[in-house]
Amino acid sequence: MFYKNTYTLPCHYKAKEANLAPMSPEQAVSILRVSTRRQLDEGDGIENQRRANNDYIRRKNYTPVYEIVIAESASSELKERVDLEAALTTISSMRKQKKVDVVVLYKSDRLTRGGAGEYFTIKALLVKQGIRVEFSTEQIDDSASGELLEHVLAGISRFENRQRTDRTIGTEKILTQDGFWCRSAPTGFENARDENDRPILKPISDTAQWELLCYGLRKQMAGTHTITQVTDELRTKGFYSRKYRSKNGEIKRNLISKATWTKICRSPLYGGMICSKWTDGTIIRAKFDGPLTPEEWNHLQKALSKNGKKLVKFPRMKLNPQFPLRRFLHCSHCGSPSTGYPSSNRHGTWYYYYGCSNKSCKKLLITTKEGQRAFIEYLKTVTPSPELLALFREVVLEKWDEKYKALTCDSAETNRKLQKLKKDKQALIELMKQSHDNLELVTELRKDFEKVSNEYTLAAMERNTKETEEINAEKVIDHCIGFLANSYKLWEMSSVEDQYRLQSLIFPEGVTYEGLLGKQTLKISLVYEAIRELEGVENVLAAPRRIELRLQE
């Protein structure tokens, strides 16, 4: 074999022995470098560079010890400078072992296309370590003319590279503005071509990963989960970020991170749109679809940006079974509605409290058990006695009958009025038919007809407002009486929704804890007020003392 030693290089370096015969004590390292995949086999490709470098080494009687192939842009997504630095590091380590004296490249632009400054910086780094840099196709010596030639060639390389970059960027910019994708595929996508061979993106071939991406975005769009919660769930289910190549050449991928997921949620690309510096910051419709539609992506942004930069939290339960009196129980000092909050001790036991929602007050602080016990006891005190409820039933039924009879009489009178107006309308229609030759008379009859029609319409509306359904009054009243007699029992066994409705019916303006303890007056519903008035009437109507004749003494 021609090469004596072989070293393992990071990334995409290819080292192999060459069939050259040692002819000089100076040891040479051959560097072959291409920038595009097409250059691997065409033009100044790897084989042409290898042939030229090998011939040059033979002519100079150098001993070839190592060959490095750098094809980063042609076979990797890593930046060019990373691979070149790794190559220089390898050469430096070989120099420390006195295994290299000269580095041979095909042309000066194979070292760098960054211009004279970068070119001479890299060369000075090697020269400082005692390593010469030579080129197999360019005769550059250490004379003044050689130094000038180096500057000229480095400048030309930089110029050509800039021209190539400008042409590439110009083409990519035009394609991007038309909705195509000219970069490497982000997480969840693969690079592809449309029917006209223009660059687009398509869903990743791993359908499980694509489904997880769609699932995560739609869950985030609901606005009920934080970025961290969705990221943790996706990591648990095995959602990965895009693949990358490590320095040792291995293809790896990591589980999705919170930062990456945030970028995905904020990227218009996942809504089938493109926004970049090549579109001047304008969002345009892409020539391919994303996991979300543009409308869904906009909805996702609203969910993420709601309340400033905070995410939408889980909706708080307005009616919490642990706090049925929350916002119904008011602070006795400032009148603010109460709030409910839990607290636990070091043993994990939870306690629930009602407190004043006014931060400057905070004088209300009771346990939920205390508040609810006081509310039930107060309900018992306002529950009418059976005697009062029986009297209330009789009064209501009596009033009901009176009202119902009055409405029935009014409705009958309205029906008779409607029948009379209907007959008048028919009579006017007949008169207009008979007097069709007399225009003046027909005009007067038409005015009378319109007047009667208006009266008929008003009467019909009045009848509709006075019509009543036949209702079993006793059944309705008995149901109400049962509610009034067992309100505190019903409240204890009801759901939190029914509890809130029930307590709001009895106390329309809420209650205070001092009021429940009897230290303040609470406003109660009109039904309970009416029953209290009946209690006063019952006391007034007590049986008078019997009149007795007084005997003369």
Side-chain angles (χ1 to χ4, degrees):
M1 301 300 289
F2 188 79
Y3 290 93
K4 295 181 179 179
N5 301 309
T6 301
Y7 297 89
T8 302
L9 288 179
C11 196
H12 303 285
Y13 299 98
K14 182 180 179 182
K16 61 182 182 180
E17 299 176 352
N19 297 319
L20 299 176
M23 299 177 63
S24 171
E26 288 191 307
Q27 303 176 93
V29 171
S30 175
I31 296 181
L32 315 177
R33 187 178 187 186
V34 293
S35 300
T36 64
R37 187 179 298 275
R38 186 173 57 185
Q39 290 179 348
L40 287 170
D41 302 312
E42 301 178 6
D44 295 335
I46 295 296
E47 290 303 323
N48 288 339
Q49 293 183 38
R50 178 179 289 118
R51 189 180 305 111
N53 286 4
N54 289 347
D55 291 343
Y56 180 82
I57 291 173
R58 285 193 187 97
R59 289 197 307 269
K60 291 290 187 178
N61 294 322
Y62 295 151
T63 302
V65 294
Y66 199 63
E67 181 182 89
I68 298 175
V69 177
I70 304 177
E72 65 280 273
S73 299
S75 60
S76 169
E77 296 180 359
L78 294 178
K79 295 183 178 179
E80 176 179 295
R81 184 58 42 212
V82 175
D83 288 335
L84 180 59
E85 287 181 357
L88 295 175
T89 302
T90 301
I91 293 172
S92 297
S93 64
M94 293 176 65
R95 179 58 184 172
K96 292 178 181 178
Q97 301 173 17
K98 296 183 179 182
K99 295 182 178 180
V100 59
D101 300 302
V102 61
V103 172
V104 179
L105 293 98
Y106 181 67
K107 295 169 65 175
S108 59
D109 62 1
R110 298 299 90 187
L111 184 61
T112 178
R113 290 179 178 268
E118 189 172 341
Y119 172 86
F120 284 103
T121 300
I122 296 175
K123 186 176 180 180
L125 176 65
L126 295 174
V127 172
K128 185 178 180 180
Q129 300 178 61
I131 303 173
R132 300 196 312 275
V133 179
E134 299 179 3
F135 307 101
S136 60
T137 59
E138 296 173 350
Q139 301 302 319
I140 301 176
D141 52 28
D142 295 334
S143 64
S145 59
E147 184 177 350
L148 175 61
L149 181 60
E150 275 189 301
H151 277 86
V152 172
L153 292 176
I156 292 174
S157 299
R158 175 65 174 170
F159 174 72
E160 291 177 347
N161 189 57
R162 286 293 302 275
Q163 275 194 322
R164 187 181 297 107
T165 301
D166 292 343
R167 287 196 299 269
T168 302
I169 290 177
T171 303
E172 292 182 353
K173 185 174 182 180
I174 293 173
L175 289 172
T176 302
Q177 290 175 347
D178 290 338
F180 298 98
W181 187 257
C182 303
R183 299 298 181 92
S184 59
T187 301
F189 288 99
E190 291 179 353
N191 292 104
R193 296 275 177 172
D194 64 2
E195 60 276 4
N196 297 320
D197 199 35
R198 289 173 295 190
I200 59 172
L201 293 176
K202 68 175 183 179
I204 190 172
S205 55
D206 190 343
T207 56
Q209 291 292 303
W210 178 257
E211 291 175 357
L212 282 175
L213 173 63
C214 298
Y215 168 79
L217 288 172
R218 295 189 181 281
K219 189 163 188 176
Q220 200 73 68
M221 184 175 63
T224 56
H225 296 77
T226 63
I227 288 285
T228 303
Q229 290 171 336
V230 176
T231 303
D232 291 343
E233 183 177 355
L234 291 176
R235 288 173 64 89
T236 302
K237 294 184 177 181
F239 183 59
Y240 292 89
S241 58
R242 66 178 182 176
K243 296 179 181 179
Y244 68 96
R245 189 180 297 274
S246 64
K247 290 185 177 181
N248 58 9
E250 296 181 5
I251 297 178
K252 295 183 178 181
R253 59 178 184 174
N254 297 324
L255 289 171
I256 195 73
S257 65
K258 179 180 177 181
T260 303
W261 181 246
T262 302
K263 292 179 181 178
I264 289 175
C265 292
R266 289 297 189 182
S267 174
L269 197 63
Y270 294 87
M273 300 176 290
I274 298 176
C275 179
S276 67
K277 63 178 182 179
W278 288 347
T279 64
D280 298 325
T282 304
I283 296 179
I284 62 173
R285 188 67 170 91
K287 296 296 183 182
F288 49 88
D289 294 327
L292 303 177
T293 64
E295 294 76 16
E296 290 173 336
W297 184 82
N298 289 326
H299 183 73
L300 171 62
Q301 304 315 299
K302 292 179 181 178
L304 294 175
S305 302
K306 192 173 183 181
N307 298 325
K309 294 186 178 180
K310 295 181 180 179
L311 297 176
V312 180
K313 297 181 179 179
F314 282 102
R316 186 181 181 184
M317 296 175 63
K318 183 178 180 181
L319 300 177
N320 193 320
Q322 297 290 347
F323 309 102
L325 298 179
R326 184 173 63 188
R327 304 197 69 80
F328 180 78
L329 179 66
H330 292 74
C331 177
S332 304
H333 301 275
C334 66
S336 300
S338 64
T339 184
Y341 61 92
S343 177
S344 63
N345 59 19
R346 61 181 181 178
H347 302 294
T349 304
W350 287 91
Y351 301 93
Y352 301 93
Y353 297 90
Y354 291 115
C356 182
S357 59
N358 184 0
K359 294 183 179 180
S360 61
C361 177
K362 294 297 183 181
K363 292 186 177 180
L364 173 64
L365 182 60
I366 58 173
T367 64
T368 55
K369 292 182 179 179
E370 291 175 340
Q372 287 153 209
R373 187 186 306 114
F375 181 74
I376 293 173
E377 293 299 324
Y378 191 82
L379 276 181
K380 292 179 180 179
T381 62
V382 299
T383 300
S385 63
E387 293 78 13
L388 278 177
L389 290 175
L391 180 60
F392 176 72
R393 183 177 186 278
E394 293 178 4
V395 171
V396 172
L397 286 176
E398 183 179 350
K399 293 294 182 181
W400 183 290
D401 292 338
E402 293 178 1
K403 188 67 175 179
Y404 185 78
K405 291 177 182 179
L407 289 174
T408 303
C409 293
D410 291 344
S411 179
E413 181 64 25
T414 303
N415 286 331
R416 286 192 293 270
K417 183 178 179 180
L418 284 172
Q419 291 296 329
K420 180 179 180 302
L421 291 172
K422 188 175 181 179
K423 291 179 181 179
D424 292 344
K425 287 174 65 178
Q426 293 293 335
L428 288 171
I429 291 173
E430 293 297 328
L431 287 174
M432 285 189 287
K433 290 180 179 180
Q434 297 174 6
S435 306
H436 64 279
D437 295 333
N438 190 340
L439 296 179
E440 293 182 2
L441 181 57
V442 170
T443 302
E444 293 295 329
L445 291 173
R446 185 178 289 111
K447 291 180 180 179
D448 293 339
F449 180 79
E450 292 178 357
K451 181 179 179 181
V452 173
S453 297
N454 292 335
E455 292 179 359
Y456 183 85
T457 302
L458 292 174
M461 293 174 62
E462 184 180 0
R463 180 193 62 181
N464 292 337
T465 57
K466 292 183 178 181
E467 281 185 346
T468 57
E469 296 184 27
E470 186 175 353
I471 300 175
N472 189 339
E474 292 188 358
K475 186 175 181 180
V476 174
I477 296 301
D478 288 340
H479 182 78
C480 295
I481 294 298
F483 168 79
L484 294 171
N486 302 283
S487 57
Y488 64 95
K489 296 180 181 179
L490 293 173
W491 189 87
E492 288 185 285
M493 66 178 62
S494 298
S495 64
V496 64
E497 291 83 3
D498 292 336
Q499 283 180 332
Y500 195 82
R501 295 190 188 100
L502 190 149
Q503 64 200 29
S504 299
L505 284 174
I506 302 175
F507 304 98
E509 296 183 0
V511 297
T512 63
Y513 186 61
E514 299 293 331
L516 295 178
L517 297 179
K519 299 178 181 180
Q520 290 180 351
T521 302
L522 299 178
K523 185 174 181 180
I524 203 165
S525 68
L526 294 176
V527 175
Y528 283 85
E529 291 288 352
I531 294 176
R532 285 179 177 178
E533 293 180 2
L534 286 177
E535 184 177 9
V537 171
E538 186 181 33
N539 293 333
V540 170
L541 295 179
R545 185 169 62 89
R546 188 174 50 176
I547 300 176
E548 300 177 351
L549 295 176
R550 298 182 65 183
L551 298 177
Q552 294 182 356
E553 295 180 359

